[in-house]
Structure formats: C-alpha cells, structure tokens
C-alpha cells in the first residue's frame, strides 16, 4: 500500500560519525547545519560547536538530548564533495530535484516535532536505532468534516489536540533499514538507547539516519 509507511532491509552501512561530519568541517553553520535540542527547537547560533571535534564530544557526552541536521543539498550547491556518496548512490542518490538531510541525534532526542512534509520521504538508518511515530487520519473522520484535512498537505507541525484526531503507530529502524513515508503522514522520530548487541559509537547512543525528500 503506497499510502502507508513501510520498511525494507539493505546491507548495514559501514560508516562513522567522523566520516559524515568531516565534509562540513568548515561549514558548521546555517544553511549547511542546524542544531536542535531534544524537542526539535533550534539552538542559538552562539551555542553552535565550532569544530568537528566539538560535535563529536557533544554527541559522545551530551548534557541533554541533542540533534544535528546536515543539509547535503547545500553542501553540493557550494561545490563540496558529499559524504556517503559512494555508499548511497545505488540506494538514495542525491539529485538536483531532491533535498537530502543527515540527522544525528543523542539518545532521547527528536530532530523535529510531529510534522508533515510536502513530498514522500525515504529514510536509510545508518547507525543506531530510531523509534518512529507515524499517524494518519482516523477512518471515522475521513468522510466527515475534518479540520486537519487541508493541513496534512503542508509542511507544518501538529500540537497535542491535533494529534488526538489521528491514529498512530510506532516502529523502530535499525542500521540498514529503509523507511518510506508517504505524503499526508504525520511523523516524528526519536533516537532510542541501544541494547548491548547493537553497535555503539563513541561510547554513546548516537543515532544517524539519512533522508531524501
């Protein structure tokens, strides 16, 4: 069903946080990078880490849930080499018609609050585990007046009252999992702590996913 989220398995990626961050070493500022707290709210520019080493330390020993969003399309527009290009080209290639973001989060952090996008989303989990909340209109509301009917087509966020009018499910993605999210699906993701059998990065629960819009 193309109207419902689904997952599929690919080989587990062989990547490190450092290799992903290094192409952004001289561009750790907007529009290339966005830093958010655990609830998806933007961090003041003055508090941005200044070097890759600072970002690595921040993610290894977070004082609070933290997320970093890397905008690959901005890096490409600036003429820089893209991280992960060889790995991702057969699966989720970046083209001029798409945007592509890498989301790096410490345990418990959500890079974005509950929201919809104006396009379909394809996500590849690179490192760690992420719990996804995905929601759609309740069947009982699909054929009756629904204040969310037109909002679902927009790139917007949803408050608790609006979420109560949706039917939601959860799933967890692991390294190598691909997740497809159709338009009109309200969604958010939260980095979750890994069990002892999962790959750990820098002795922390850093979670990394790659999304094409």
């Amino acid at each position: 069903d193309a109207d419902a989220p689904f997952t599929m398995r690919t080989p587990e990626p062989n990547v490190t946080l450092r290799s992903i961050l290094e192409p952004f070493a001289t561009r750790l500022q907007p529009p290339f990078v966005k830093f958010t707290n655990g609830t998806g709210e933007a961090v003041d520019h003055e508090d941005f880490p200044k070097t890759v080493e600072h970002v690595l330390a921040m993610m290894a020993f977070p004082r609070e849930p933290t997320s970093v969003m890397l905008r690959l399309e901005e890096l490409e527009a600036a003429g820089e080499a893209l991280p992960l290009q060889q790995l991702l080209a057969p699966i989720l290639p970046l083209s001029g018609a798409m945007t592509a973001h890498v989301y790096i989060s410490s345990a418990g952090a959500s890079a974005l609050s509950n929201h919809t996008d104006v396009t379909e989303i394809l996500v590849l989990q690179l490192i760690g585990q992420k719990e996804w909340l995905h929601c759609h209109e309740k069947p009982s509301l699909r054929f009756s007046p629904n204040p969310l009917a037109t909002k679902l087509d927009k790139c917007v966020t949803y408050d608790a009252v609006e979420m109560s009018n949706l039917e939601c499910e959860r799933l967890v993605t692991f390294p190598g999992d691909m997740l497809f999210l159709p338009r009109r699906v309200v969604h958010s993701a939260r980095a979750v702590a890994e069990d002892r059998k999962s790959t750990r990065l820098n002795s922390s629960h850093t979670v990394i996913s790659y999304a094409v819009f």
Side-chain angles (χ1 to χ4, degrees):
D1 184 355
D3 292 327
F6 64 85
T7 60
M8 62 178 292
R9 286 291 299 166
T10 69
E12 184 171 332
N14 181 21
V15 295
T16 65
L17 178 54
R18 181 181 294 276
S19 67
I20 294 169
L21 287 170
E22 284 180 341
F24 289 85
T26 61
R27 301 183 184 276
L28 292 174
Q29 69 276 331
F32 304 96
V33 178
K34 178 181 179 182
F35 292 90
T36 65
N37 62 20
T39 60
E41 296 178 356
V43 173
D44 290 338
H45 294 180
E46 294 78 12
D47 297 328
F48 279 18
K50 302 299 188 291
T51 68
V52 168
E53 295 300 328
H54 289 165
V55 179
L56 291 171
M58 179 182 73
M59 301 310 297
F61 306 102
R63 289 178 292 180
E64 60 182 4
T66 304
S67 290
V68 183
M69 180 172 68
L70 307 177
R71 295 185 169 105
L72 273 66
E73 72 277 7
E74 297 290 349
L75 200 65
E76 183 182 47
E80 300 284 353
L82 296 179
L84 313 173
Q85 195 164 27
Q86 184 174 358
L87 168 71
L88 298 171
I91 307 170
L92 297 174
L94 177 62
S95 71
M98 297 180 179
T99 58
H101 299 160
V102 176
Y103 296 91
I104 305 167
S105 300
S106 62
S110 294
L112 300 167
S113 57
N114 297 317
H115 68 284
T116 44
D117 294 290
V118 296
T119 64
E120 294 85 2
I121 309 294
L122 195 57
V123 178
L124 173 63
Q125 190 70 29
L126 298 176
I127 295 174
Q129 302 172 17
K130 185 165 283 188
E131 182 184 61
W132 293 83
L133 177 73
H134 59 90
C135 312
H136 53 80
E137 297 173 271
K138 291 181 178 178
S140 59
L141 296 178
R142 289 179 183 172
F143 302 102
S144 61
N146 181 1
L148 295 183
T150 57
K151 187 173 181 178
L152 292 170
D153 288 317
K154 302 175 182 178
C155 184
V156 289
T157 58
Y158 296 78
D159 61 27
V161 173
E162 292 171 319
M163 292 297 292
S164 68
N165 289 315
L166 299 170
E167 193 169 88
C168 298
E169 298 180 49
R170 297 180 186 272
L171 62 86
V172 176
T173 51
F174 299 86
D177 282 347
M178 290 182 65
L179 169 64
F180 172 74
L181 291 166
R183 293 175 63 250
R184 297 179 63 83
V185 171
V186 179
H187 59 279
S188 61
R190 180 178 62 88
V192 295
E194 305 160 19
D195 61 32
R196 294 180 180 178
K197 296 181 181 179
S198 300
T199 302
R200 293 177 182 267
L201 185 65
N202 295 336
S203 301
S204 72
H205 300 301
T206 303
V207 177
I208 305 175
S209 56
Y210 169 78
V212 170
F213 300 75

